[in-house]
Amino acid sequence: MCNICGQIPCNARCPNATQERPVAICCECGEGIYPDDRYIESINGYLCYDCLQGLSALELLEIIGEKLITAN
């Protein structure tokens, strides 16, 4: 088990991990999205799990291309 990330094999973001190329880049934070990472593909690009967790419901709606409608 790695003494830094505590995983076997190392998490892709661990300094002890072998250099692995990201499969995508998050459009919000600019970090790499690596194999086995969770993400969505939005109208603006890829969005990583960590950035998704920080969004409000209204922000998420906007990112997936939906908008609130005002009743008349």
Side-chain angles (χ1 to χ4, degrees), residues 5-62:
C5 69
Q7 296 183 16
I8 301 173
C10 288
N11 182 293
R13 294 184 178 113
C14 178
N16 287 338
T18 57
Q19 291 297 332
E20 192 171 8
R21 296 184 67 179
V23 294
I25 302 295
C26 178
C27 66
E28 186 71 21
C29 68
E31 294 290 321
I33 298 171
Y34 295 90
D36 298 324
D37 284 350
R38 298 171 73 189
Y39 68 97
I40 66 165
E41 192 172 343
S42 73
I43 58 174
N44 298 324
Y46 301 104
L47 199 63
C48 72
Y49 182 77
D50 291 338
C51 288
L52 278 171
Q53 286 187 306
L55 297 176
S56 70
L58 293 175
E59 290 170 323
L60 182 58
L61 283 173
E62 185 178 311

